Structures are given as C-alpha cells and as structure tokens.
C-alpha cells in the first residue's frame, strides 16, 4: 500500500484535497446494515450533509482515534511461533495491554458497542507490506493503521508535537532556542498533513450518520476540522490528555486561532480538570470573542449555531488489569524479594515512578530527599528513595540534560549519605515489567509525585490500588485479612490528579524544604490517619475507573449530538478556518431578488432598522452615520408608500443630531421609550412617564465597578443607565458584569426597572420598555390611518431586536397587517434567532437597503 501523504503542502493552506494517487487497495467499508456496505466519495473537500433518517445500525460503534494504535508489532523469524497472536509473513501483532484505548474498550465492558481503532504503529512497516498488514489488523483487531513516511512522522511527532506543542502546553515558552522549539512553519505543515492523513483513514471506515468518533490528545488537534468539513453532522468528541495552558501562555502560539477553531469543530471537548477547561474557555473568549453558559450542570459554547459542550472528568485506571497483575505469582515473588531487601533490613521505602523528562521533577525530588537526610539525620540508614525512571517518550538535548543531572545528583547523595550496604537513593533507569513496578507499589510506604506540570498522572491511582492488595499479598506481607490498609501520597499541586486526591499531602515541587517536610510528615503520620486517607482515596479511585470515565464521556457525547438531526447544517470558511453553521431548517439567507420583487409589488410598507451592528459595524469607533447611509434613508423616506423607523438604544439627543438631515425618518430612542414619526413632530413615549429617582441608587454602584474595572464606562441616558465594558479585559469585564448584574438586581428590587445584560453592557431601564413596543406602535399607528402594510421589513443584530422579530412575526395573522403581506424578519449573521432570514454583515445590509432605495427612486421618477 502506498503511504498517503501530501505531495504539496500548499494545498493544505487552501483547504483543497491532496494530490496523491489512489491506494492500490482500500480498506473495506464496515457493514452497518445487512447487505449494505457504506461507501462515500473520496473527495475530502466536499461537505456531506446526509438525510439523517436514511441510516440505521444494529449496534453502537465508536471510532477511537489516537496517535498510536493499542497494538504491539514484532518482526518475526521463520521459526517464531506466533501462538494466539495474528501475524503476516514478517510480523506478529498482539494487543498492548497498557494502552489506554484498549483499557477503555475493556472498561466499557459492553458487547453491544463495537470499537474501531485508528492510529499509527510504533514500528515502521515497509510500503510493500502495508496492504497485508492493514487487512490483518482490520480483520483481527478492528484496527486501521495510519502509515506515515519516516521523515514526515519525525517532523510531526518529534518536531511539532514534542518540541513545540508539548513544551508550550506544559508552560515552557521558547524564550531561547534551548527552551522548547521556536515555531517552525514547516513542522506545523507536517502536523496538519498528518492530521489530514488520519482523516482520510477515518473516512474509509466511517458511517457518518451513526458512528461516534472519539479523538485523543494534542497530536490530533486539527483533525476535527477535516472530519467536520467532510461530514457536517459527524458525532465527534475530543479529549485532551495534557494540560491546557493559561491564555497568557497559549496566545504566544502563532497558530493559536487555528487550533481553537479546529477543537471547536468537535461536539464535546474533554479535560481532566476545571483549570484546564477554564483556560480553554478563557482563550475562546479572548481570541474568538465566544462566551460560555452553564445549563443544568453542563458547560456549553455557542459556536455558529452549534453547542460545543465541555466535559471535565479525570481519567481513571483499569481496575481489572491491575487486580489481575496483583494476583500473579510473579508479583508475589517480587514483593517477597523487595520485603527482604528493604523491610528485612529495617528500611522504609519511598517510591517515585516517572518518565525521564524535564517536567516530571525528578531532580527536585532528589534534592528534597537530600534535604530530608540533612534535616533529619535519624533517617539516614533507615529511609530509601527508590526512583524508577521510565524512558522518555521524546528525544533531544533536554532529555539528555535531565538524565545527566539525575545521575549526578544520585551519585552525590549516595556518596554523602551512603554507608556500606546502604544507598539512600536507588535509581532504576531500565524498563521494568508491569508486575515488577506493581511490586514496588505494594512495598512502598509513601509514593512521591513531584512533577512541575503533568496533564493527569495515574501513578498515585495505581499505588493506591496496589496498597489495597489482596489476600495472597496480605500473607506475603504478614498481615491479617482484617487489617486496615494504609498508603501515603505526596503529590505536586501542578498535576491533573491532585484535585481528586484530597487526602494526599500537596506540595509545590519547587519548594524543596516544603517537599522534604511533606516526606517527613508522611513517614511520621499516625497509622490511623494513614488508614483513613487510604480508605478515602481507594473509595474514589475504585469507583472512578477508566470504564466509568469512558461511559460518562460517551454518554455526554450522545446527549450533545441529539440536536444534529433537528438542524440544517452547512460549511463556511476555507482551510483551517472552516466551521459548520447549524440552524433551524426554516432559517435562510435573505435573497435580494426575492425582497426586491416583494418590495415592487407592495403599496404600503413598514421598515424597522436597528442601528449599531446593523447599519453601522459594532466595532466602529465613529458611530455616526455616513453620508451614504443618510442618502439611502432619505430615498426610502421620500417614497410615500414607506414608513421607515430607526430603532436604537442610543439617546434621543444623539439620534437627533445624527439623523437631522432625514426629515421624514421615524426614530425610536432608548429601546423605544422615546419615539417620533418624523423630524418636525414632538417626541412621545411608548409607556407612561417614569420616575428616574432610581438612578440615585444605581449610579453609585455602577461608578464603583467603573473605578475597579479598567476600560469600562457609564452611559447616562434620560431614562436608562448603561455600564459598558467593551474595552475592558474580556474575562474580568465579564466577571464584573455578572457581579454588577446581581448587585443592581438586589438594590433595585423594589424599583420599577429591569436590569439586563447585553453585548458588553449591563443596562438598567424602565419596566415594559422594549423594541417590540416600537413595532407594535408603528403597526397600530398605520392601522389607525387605514394603512395596512403589505410589506414589513425588520432588521437587527442583537438580543434586544428579538422582541421586534417576535412582534412582527406574531402579527402576520392579526388585524394590523394585510393578510397577503410579505414579512421579512432578518438578523445579522448566522445564529439562532426568532428571525426567519439572515444577512452576513452590515455591508450586505447596506447593499440591500441601497437596492430598495434605488427601486423607490426609479418608481418616483416614472
């Protein structure tokens, strides 16, 4: 099989399909309906939006996608006996029992769920063997291998993933070439191209309307975009197993928005801790202007009409696998050996198990051990730190430096405090078998995890279950079956599992003295206290296992995807800016031809226009109307068949100044509290005159928040007060707005006003005032004059305009509108709305109004 990779990375930037040749043999589609094999066009640039009622399945199916398959591959000799494993002519394949993907399937324990795995093999497979290997892995293990050329894999994994993303996500900025990798565009292109190849492989086996796709970790962060582009309704979850950095760190990444938008093409995004989720949401707010809501306990982001849910749940361990290893005779034998080696000589074991990388804090742990021996000489000869150092997953200069520092520190400590037959630190830097590591857990009095940053770290969980043991291990340890078990943990506060281990001694690993004190505390703690802490931890870890985690994630993914069939979806944007808009089936773009045709046929027209964000872009600094806008409004107003209204939250003084050239233009100010039908008539009010003494209560409160929130200001209107925070820090401004809203609602509870939050504002205004009142007033005024409109156009962009949309759409069957009237309620942008139509931006709206004005000018000149 020919490896699928890009021949031209420039194609990637444009979002076009790659120009490589067809594979000599495709992986067969999975049969999901008896007698029918799913097949689709290979063109990955075409968005598919199938009829959701056209497919059915016999069983649920999940496609698990990760960088590595849960498969061990071993090159065999001719005489090798492959036993129960599957093999090709040159390879033996077997399950990798330590893979999280496999543990998830086993943890689910549901025979009704079929799992397909997509990922890379650890070993390189020659192109001539790839076809056969693919077929064997699919038939025997339900695995779809992704074959990458060695050079591409190196630039993708060792280059972009390990030298750029991984350090940054662990809070290491590339301040110099030695501290993490500086951003490299060619490595980024390799990363994107590999994600695209993964997408191609998934496309070969997916049944898009029925299958769930679960993508794992930072290696595949742009994969959701490629899948969403091909299948608009794909049911897609993503779980990040690493930390997500704070916005201050993340925003240094040159491709920060591309990654965020790619993740938002998922339906559900999972994180281990609230801190990681909070950082992600903050980045979405600061860089994309998105806000999130919590509804009935679920956190969701509204993204172009789709709700992207956020899941916060730390992964667990595979209880069955761990307990089976604890029951092995080899484990018992190793435990007995360690007891004799350490406890038999009156020594207490402290244990560390870490990968040999820069973030695991091994050297800090060793320095704390050195400090413990200095401060507590009585521990010398009695306490041993066994440090198991697993091989690093990455490679490079930083790994070598960690190895050298670790060995030199161990050597120094042992030379200083060691005695004949006693080394205070035992470094094991050779790979251990799993049962051997479990045996160390069983014997260790305390487990130390001092990582300076780690996404999750399951070592403490494994330690707790191992210390619980079983009856056979109790005999080896010389314990009665009824003896309460005990365990002690010293864990860094910077690792993902820390919040779930409330009985652990949490430390700042950079504070060497504090870590040394924690080690001493763990050793000296009363037995009853150790037992209580262990019992609490064991209860949590044994119930929040990997199966619980997987079930919970998939349950939330299914809940999030239920709305797919009720929405009309289409894709917009190019390349990695692609996203899907999901809206009500009746919601559609306002056609210029359609509205102009209706405008020409009509004889009595009502036109209501919002100003900010509709006729004028929201981000404009100068909010006053342009001469072009004034000309358009005057052309519309000169047509005797038209009643044109500007409906704004601005004060009547401001609107009077801005629209003084428009003699026949109706204006509604302050959300419709004040209005006039044309320039030379008096202002009137939609509701009875109100007493504004409440301002004496509200203004001091707003002033207090303005003084403490840089970038905020107060807009004092005749009947309303508005606190604006558009120029404030997004997170702090939003937080202050929520506090202010609660504060104002409390102090104004007995006043005849309403307190509402809007787009970067908190507003206090008289009760009953809304833009919907303006629409009602205009329609009733026209009715009184015997002018039943047969054409109604209403355009607005924000929440306050929804009241107008509701009034005019509900009036269609009423007495104030001609029964044959054509009604156009139009919002700005594709988003959930009570309007039936949308236009993309203010440019399109001005173009539309210009078109209608031209029609009126032509009709007047006839």
């Amino acid at each position: 099989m020919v490896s699928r990779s890009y021949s031209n990375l420039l194609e990637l930037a444009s979002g076009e399909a790659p120009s490589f040749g067809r594979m000599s043999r495709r992986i067969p589609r999975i049969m999901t309906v008896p007698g029918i094999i799913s097949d689709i066009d290979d063109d990955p640039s075409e968005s598919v939006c199938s009829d959701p009622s056209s497919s059915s399945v016999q069983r649920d199916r999940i496609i698990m996608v990760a960088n590595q398959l849960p498969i061990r591959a071993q090159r065999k000799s001719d005489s090798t006996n492959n036993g129960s494993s599957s093999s090709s002519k040159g390879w033996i394949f077997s399950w990798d029992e330590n893979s999280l993907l496999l543990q998830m399937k086993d943890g689910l324990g549901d025979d009704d769920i079929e799992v397909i795995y997509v990922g890379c093999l650890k070993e390189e497979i020659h192109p001539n063997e790839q076809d056969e290997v693919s077929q064997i892995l699919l038939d025997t293990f339900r695995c779809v291998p992704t074959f990458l050329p060695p050079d591409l894999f190196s630039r993708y994994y060792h280059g972009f993933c390990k030298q750029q993303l991984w350090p940054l996500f662990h809070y290491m900025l590339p301040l110099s070439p030695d501290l993490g990798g500086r951003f490299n565009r060619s490595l980024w292109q390799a990363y994107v191209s590999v994600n695209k190849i993964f997408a191609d492989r998934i496309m070969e086996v997916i049944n898009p309307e029925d299958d769930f796709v679960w993508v794992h970790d930072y290696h595949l962060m742009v994969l959701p975009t490629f899948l969403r582009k091909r299948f608009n309704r794909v049911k897609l979850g993503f779980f990040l197993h690493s930390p997500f950095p704070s916005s201050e760190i993340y925003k240094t990444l040159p491709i920060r928005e591309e990654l965020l938008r790619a993740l938002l093409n998922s339906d559900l995004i999972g994180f281990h801790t609230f801190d990681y989720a909070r950082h992600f949401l903050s980045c979405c707010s600061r860089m994309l202007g998105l806000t999130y809501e919590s509804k009935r306990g679920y956190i969701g982001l509204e993204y172009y009409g789709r709700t992207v849910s956020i899941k916060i749940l730390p992964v667990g361990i595979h209880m069955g696998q761990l307990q089976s290893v604890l029951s092995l005779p080899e484990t018992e034998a190793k435990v007995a050996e360690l007891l004799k080696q350490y406890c038999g000589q009156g020594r207490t074991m402290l244990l560390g198990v870490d990968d040999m990388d820069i973030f695991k804090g091994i050297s800090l742990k060793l320095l704390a051990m050195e400090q413990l021996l200095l401060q507590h000489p009585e521990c010398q000869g009695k306490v041993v730190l066994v440090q198991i150092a697993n091989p690093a997953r990455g490679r490079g200069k930083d790994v070598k430096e960690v190895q050298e520092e670790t060995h030199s520190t161990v050597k120094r400590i042992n030379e200083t405090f060691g005695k004949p037959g006693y080394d205070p630190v035992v470094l094991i830097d050779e790979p251990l078998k799993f049962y051997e590591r479990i045996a160390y857990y069983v014997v260790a009095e305390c487990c130390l995890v001092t990582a300076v940053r780690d996404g999750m770290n399951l070592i403490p969980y494994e330690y707790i279950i191992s210390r619980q043991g079983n009856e056979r291990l109790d005999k080896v340890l010389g314990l009665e079956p009824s003896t309460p078990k005990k365990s002690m943990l010293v864990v860094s506060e910077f690792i993902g599992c820390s919040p779930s281990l409330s009985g652990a001694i949490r430390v700042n690993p950079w504070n060497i003295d504090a870590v040394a004190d924690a080690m001493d505390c763990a050793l000296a703690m009363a037995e009853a206290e150790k037992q209580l802490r262990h019992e609490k931890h064991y209860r949590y870890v044994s119930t929040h296992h990997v199966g619980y985690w997987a079930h919970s994630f998939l349950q939330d993914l299914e809940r999030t995807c239920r709305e797919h069939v009720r929405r009309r979806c289409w894709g917009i944007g190019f390349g990695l800016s692609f996203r899907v808009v999901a809206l009500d089936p009746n919601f559609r773009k306002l056609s210029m031809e359609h509205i102009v045709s209706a405008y020409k046929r009509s004889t009595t027209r009502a036109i209501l226009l919002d100003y900010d964000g509709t006729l004028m872009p929201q981000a404009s600094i100068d909010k006053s109307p342009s001469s072009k806008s004034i000309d358009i409004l005057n052309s519309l107003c000169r047509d005797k068949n038209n009643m044109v209204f500007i409906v704004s939250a601005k004060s009547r003084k401001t609107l009077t100044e801005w629209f003084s050239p428009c003699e026949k233009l109706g204006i509604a100010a302050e959300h419709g509290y004040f209005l006039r039908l044309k320039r030379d008539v008096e202002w009137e009010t939609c509701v009875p005159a109100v007493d504004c003494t409440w301002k004496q209560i509200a203004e001091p409160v707003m002033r207090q928040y303005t003084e403490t929130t840089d970038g905020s200001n107060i807009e004092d209107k005749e009947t309303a007060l508005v606190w604006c925070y558009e120029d404030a820090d997004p997170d702090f401004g939003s937080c202050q707005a929520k506090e202010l809203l609660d504060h104002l609602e409390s102090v104004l509870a007995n006043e005849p006003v309403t307190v509402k939050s809007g787009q970067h504002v908190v507003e206090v205004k008289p009760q009953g005032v809304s833009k919907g009142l303006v629409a009602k007033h205009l329609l009733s005024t026209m009715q009184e004059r015997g002018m039943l409109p047969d054409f109604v156009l209403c355009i607005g962009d924000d929440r306050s305009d929804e009241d107008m949309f509701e009034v005019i759409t509900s009036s269609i069957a009423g007495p104030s509108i001609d029964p044959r009237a054509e009604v156009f309620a139009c919002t700005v942008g594709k988003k959930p709305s009570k309007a039936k139509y949308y236009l993309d931006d203010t440019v399109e709206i001005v173009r539309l109004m210009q078109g209608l004005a031209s029609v009126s000018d032509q009709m007047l000149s006839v």
Side-chain angles (χ1 to χ4, degrees):
M1 183 185 294
V2 178
S3 296
R4 306 188 76 175
S5 61
Y6 274 107
S7 58
N8 185 356
L9 285 170
L10 291 176
E11 294 170 333
L12 216 49
S14 66
E16 296 177 359
S19 56
F20 43 68
R22 297 278 182 180
M23 292 186 299
S24 57
R25 180 179 178 182
R26 292 181 60 198
I27 291 178
R29 294 286 175 183
I30 307 299
M31 187 175 292
T32 55
V33 180
I36 301 175
I37 294 181
S38 167
D39 207 351
I40 56 172
D41 184 3
D42 261 350
D43 180 9
S45 65
E46 179 187 350
S47 288
V48 171
C49 187
S50 310
D51 178 3
S53 63
S54 64
S55 61
S56 62
V57 291
Q58 291 180 316
R59 59 195 296 208
D60 289 330
R61 201 174 70 154
I62 303 162
I63 299 176
M64 296 277 191
V65 191
N67 179 51
Q68 285 190 350
L69 288 172
I71 294 291
R72 286 196 180 99
Q74 181 182 353
R75 176 72 74 177
K76 67 174 180 178
S77 61
D78 292 339
S79 58
T80 302
N81 180 9
N82 61 8
S84 60
S85 304
S86 292
S87 64
S88 68
K89 294 177 182 177
W91 293 94
I92 298 173
F93 300 105
S94 60
W95 288 116
D96 180 359
E97 302 294 339
N98 295 325
S99 169
L100 175 65
L101 296 191
L102 185 62
Q103 292 176 5
M104 286 164 55
K105 168 65 172 101
D106 203 18
L108 287 170
D110 193 340
D111 293 335
D112 290 334
I113 297 177
E114 179 187 0
V115 177
I116 303 289
Y117 302 98
V118 179
C120 299
L121 288 167
K122 294 179 183 177
E123 286 73 19
E124 184 183 346
I125 307 294
H126 192 276
N128 293 340
E129 299 176 291
Q130 289 175 4
D131 196 13
E132 181 189 4
V133 166
S134 292
Q135 202 63 47
I136 289 171
L137 291 178
L138 181 65
D139 294 343
T140 310
F141 300 98
R142 313 305 284 163
C143 288
V144 179
T146 302
F147 299 115
L148 304 174
D151 176 63
L152 180 62
F153 178 82
S154 179
R155 286 185 292 125
Y156 146 73
Y157 183 76
H158 296 293
F160 193 77
C161 290
K162 284 299 181 183
Q163 292 301 315
Q164 296 186 3
L165 274 187
W166 189 72
L168 189 82
F169 277 31
H170 287 75
Y171 287 73
M172 178 183 279
L173 287 174
L175 299 176
S176 73
D178 294 335
L179 295 173
R182 293 277 173 84
F183 181 77
N184 183 312
R185 183 69 55 177
S186 67
L187 297 182
W188 161 243
Q189 289 174 331
Y191 179 84
V192 175
S193 66
V194 167
N195 277 248
K196 180 65 177 63
I197 294 169
F198 268 82
D200 293 337
R201 300 299 276 169
I202 295 167
M203 288 172 193
E204 294 172 356
V205 291
I206 191 173
N207 186 348
E209 297 295 345
D210 299 306
D211 294 346
F212 291 91
V213 181
W214 188 353
V215 181
H216 292 267
D217 222 1
Y218 64 94
H219 313 91
L220 301 169
M221 289 177 74
V222 299
L223 178 57
T225 290
F226 292 121
L227 294 178
R228 184 71 61 190
K229 186 175 184 181
R230 187 64 179 91
F231 307 119
N232 291 169
R233 285 198 181 93
V234 65
K235 300 171 184 177
L236 178 58
F238 181 94
F239 198 95
L240 184 68
H241 293 271
S242 78
F244 195 94
S246 71
S247 61
E248 289 300 304
I249 298 291
Y250 180 80
K251 70 182 182 182
T252 64
L253 196 60
I255 38 85
R256 60 193 188 183
E257 290 189 15
E258 289 89 332
L259 288 184
L260 287 180
R261 291 193 184 280
L263 288 178
L264 290 170
N265 276 320
S266 307
D267 293 298
L268 177 65
I269 306 172
F271 300 92
H272 286 307
T273 72
F274 173 69
D275 272 352
Y276 303 161
R278 179 169 57 86
H279 294 156
F280 172 76
L281 293 170
S282 176
C283 289
C284 289
S285 170
R286 290 171 179 273
M287 293 160 215
L288 302 180
L290 303 176
T291 57
Y292 70 92
E293 286 186 318
S294 182
K295 295 180 181 177
R296 298 182 180 179
Y298 297 108
I299 299 174
L301 279 162
E302 284 297 320
Y303 188 60
Y304 291 91
R306 292 172 49 246
T307 298
V308 181
S309 295
I310 304 298
K311 176 78 172 175
I312 303 167
L313 185 66
V315 69
I317 59 174
H318 191 310
M319 289 291 294
Q321 181 198 29
L322 205 55
Q323 288 168 342
S324 66
V325 174
L326 284 167
S327 301
L328 292 174
E330 298 97 311
T331 306
E332 293 176 38
K334 185 65 178 178
V335 169
E337 177 190 327
L338 294 175
L339 284 172
K340 182 179 178 182
Q341 182 179 350
Y342 293 99
C343 303
Q345 298 183 31
R347 288 168 188 160
T348 302
M349 182 197 295
L350 304 178
L351 179 66
V353 181
D354 305 278
D355 291 347
M356 186 71 84
D357 70 50
I358 55 176
F359 297 112
K360 293 302 187 286
I362 296 176
S363 60
L364 298 176
K365 187 186 307 177
L366 295 174
L367 292 175
M369 179 64 180
E370 184 177 35
Q371 190 74 358
L372 175 71
L373 296 173
L374 277 171
Q375 293 178 349
H376 301 277
E378 69 275 11
C379 291
Q380 297 176 22
K382 295 181 180 179
V383 178
V384 178
L385 171 62
V386 176
Q387 177 61 54
I388 299 172
N390 302 318
R393 299 178 193 179
R395 63 190 184 193
K397 182 181 177 182
D398 54 350
V399 174
K400 293 178 181 177
E401 289 176 352
V402 170
Q403 290 172 335
E404 291 171 1
E405 183 183 7
T406 300
H407 282 93
S408 64
T409 306
V410 169
K411 183 180 179 182
R412 186 185 72 242
I413 295 173
N414 286 340
E415 286 176 351
T416 305
F417 300 100
K419 302 174 183 177
Y422 169 70
D423 283 333
V425 179
V426 176
L427 178 64
I428 303 172
D429 57 357
E430 297 175 356
L432 288 181
K433 293 181 179 177
F434 189 43
Y435 80 85
E436 293 178 308
R437 194 171 88 206
I438 295 299
Y440 277 98
Y441 289 147
V442 172
V443 176
E445 185 70 16
C446 177
C447 183
L448 309 170
V449 182
T450 56
V452 297
R453 191 72 61 178
D454 206 349
M456 182 59 193
N457 201 312
L458 293 175
I459 298 300
Y461 287 13
E462 293 177 351
Y463 170 69
I464 290 161
I465 301 303
S466 300
R467 289 289 285 180
Q468 185 67 17
N470 56 40
E471 290 184 7
R472 294 171 66 177
L473 285 174
D474 287 347
K475 291 179 182 178
V476 177
L477 295 166
L479 300 175
E480 294 293 328
S482 59
T483 305
K485 303 299 166 50
K486 61 179 182 176
S487 62
M488 278 307 300
L489 283 165
V490 175
V491 300
S492 164
E493 60 194 45
F494 302 120
I495 62 176
C497 67
S498 176
S500 63
L501 297 171
S502 56
I505 302 175
R506 298 193 183 104
V507 294
N508 172 4
W510 300 101
N511 189 338
I512 304 300
D513 290 334
V515 178
D517 290 343
M519 293 162 73
D520 180 56
C521 178
L523 292 169
M525 189 175 288
E527 297 295 298
E529 179 72 12
K530 291 181 181 179
Q531 291 162 5
L532 285 172
R533 292 180 183 232
H534 170 80
E535 182 184 346
K536 185 177 186 179
H537 288 159
Y538 179 75
R539 194 162 51 243
Y540 175 85
V541 175
S542 60
T543 53
H544 291 71
H545 46 75
V546 68
Y548 171 87
W549 173 76
H551 263 298
S552 182
F553 187 90
L554 291 171
Q555 191 175 36
D556 276 12
L557 180 58
E558 183 179 9
R559 174 188 55 79
T560 303
C561 295
R562 281 179 197 150
E563 290 294 314
H564 282 196
V565 296
R566 301 187 185 100
R567 297 284 184 173
R568 189 164 56 97
C569 302
W570 66 94
I572 60 173
F574 297 99
L576 293 176
S577 295
F578 176 85
R579 60 264 189 209
V580 163
V581 177
L583 297 168
D584 187 277
N586 297 320
F587 190 68
R588 57 189 182 275
K589 188 164 186 175
L590 185 56
S591 162
M592 178 71 86
E593 293 77 13
H594 181 194
I595 193 169
V596 167
S597 173
Y599 188 85
K600 288 178 177 178
R601 291 195 304 270
S602 57
T603 56
T604 308
R605 311 182 191 101
I607 301 173
L608 297 105
L609 303 171
D610 173 48
Y611 185 69
D612 275 343
T614 303
L615 291 178
M616 175 63 61
Q618 196 73 252
S620 295
I621 296 175
D622 181 7
K623 299 285 188 181
S624 60
S626 64
S627 57
K628 179 181 178 181
S629 297
I630 296 293
D631 290 343
I632 291 171
L633 291 171
N634 277 329
S635 293
L636 291 170
C637 292
R638 277 195 296 269
D639 191 328
K640 295 180 180 179
N641 294 330
N642 292 345
M643 286 278 284
V644 184
F645 250 85
I646 290 290
V647 187
S648 173
K650 297 288 184 185
S651 68
R652 57 177 173 173
K653 178 183 177 183
T654 300
L655 295 174
T656 299
E657 291 175 0
W658 284 355
F659 295 102
S660 57
C662 302
E663 180 185 352
K664 297 181 179 180
L665 177 67
I667 296 177
E670 300 192 16
H671 289 299
Y673 182 84
F674 297 107
L675 60 85
R676 69 183 188 192
L677 295 179
K678 54 184 179 178
R679 187 181 65 189
D680 298 328
V681 301
E682 292 295 320
W683 288 92
E684 54 184 295
T685 59
C686 276
V687 296
V690 296
D691 179 8
C692 290
T693 55
W694 56 266
K695 285 189 177 184
Q696 298 170 14
I697 303 172
E699 190 171 8
V701 176
M702 285 191 175
R703 197 181 306 120
Q704 177 185 338
Y705 281 80
T706 304
E707 290 170 358
T708 57
T709 311
D710 188 39
S712 66
N713 62 81
I714 300 172
E715 186 180 349
D716 188 356
K717 304 177 184 177
E718 289 180 71
T719 64
L721 274 178
V722 184
W723 187 74
C724 310
Y725 60 97
E726 186 176 4
D727 297 326
D729 176 273
D731 283 345
F732 185 56
S734 177
C735 178
Q736 290 288 80
K738 290 174 185 175
E739 288 289 327
L740 176 60
L741 186 72
D742 291 341
H743 197 157
L744 289 172
E745 284 179 341
S746 174
V747 298
L748 297 173
N750 298 320
E751 301 294 331
V753 294
T754 57
V755 185
K756 288 190 174 182
S757 62
Q759 191 169 13
H760 300 120
V761 297
V762 175
E763 183 171 20
V764 185
K765 62 182 181 180
Q767 286 178 351
V769 175
S770 73
K771 291 185 178 181
L773 280 179
V774 180
K776 282 183 181 177
H777 184 86
L778 175 61
L779 294 177
S780 62
T781 300
M782 295 180 75
Q783 184 183 4
E784 289 168 5
R785 296 181 180 183
M787 301 168 59
L788 287 184
D790 54 0
F791 175 96
V792 180
L793 172 63
C794 179
I795 308 179
D797 76 306
D798 68 13
R799 197 180 302 169
S800 64
D801 300 308
E802 296 293 317
D803 295 329
M804 286 197 295
F805 300 151
E806 188 173 12
V807 166
I808 67 165
T809 52
S810 62
S811 300
I812 293 174
S816 57
I817 293 181
D818 190 293
R820 296 160 298 177
E822 298 207 49
V823 176
F824 301 91
C826 178
T827 189
V828 183
K830 300 172 185 175
K831 61 193 176 193
S833 173
K834 292 174 183 173
K836 293 290 180 69
Y837 299 93
Y838 73 90
L839 288 170
D840 287 327
D841 49 35
T842 56
V843 175
E844 287 197 352
I845 290 164
V846 171
R847 189 182 301 134
L848 168 69
M849 302 314 298
Q850 191 172 20
L852 298 183
S854 298
V855 172
S856 287
D857 288 341
Q858 290 170 12
M859 294 171 74
L860 288 171
S861 63
V862 173

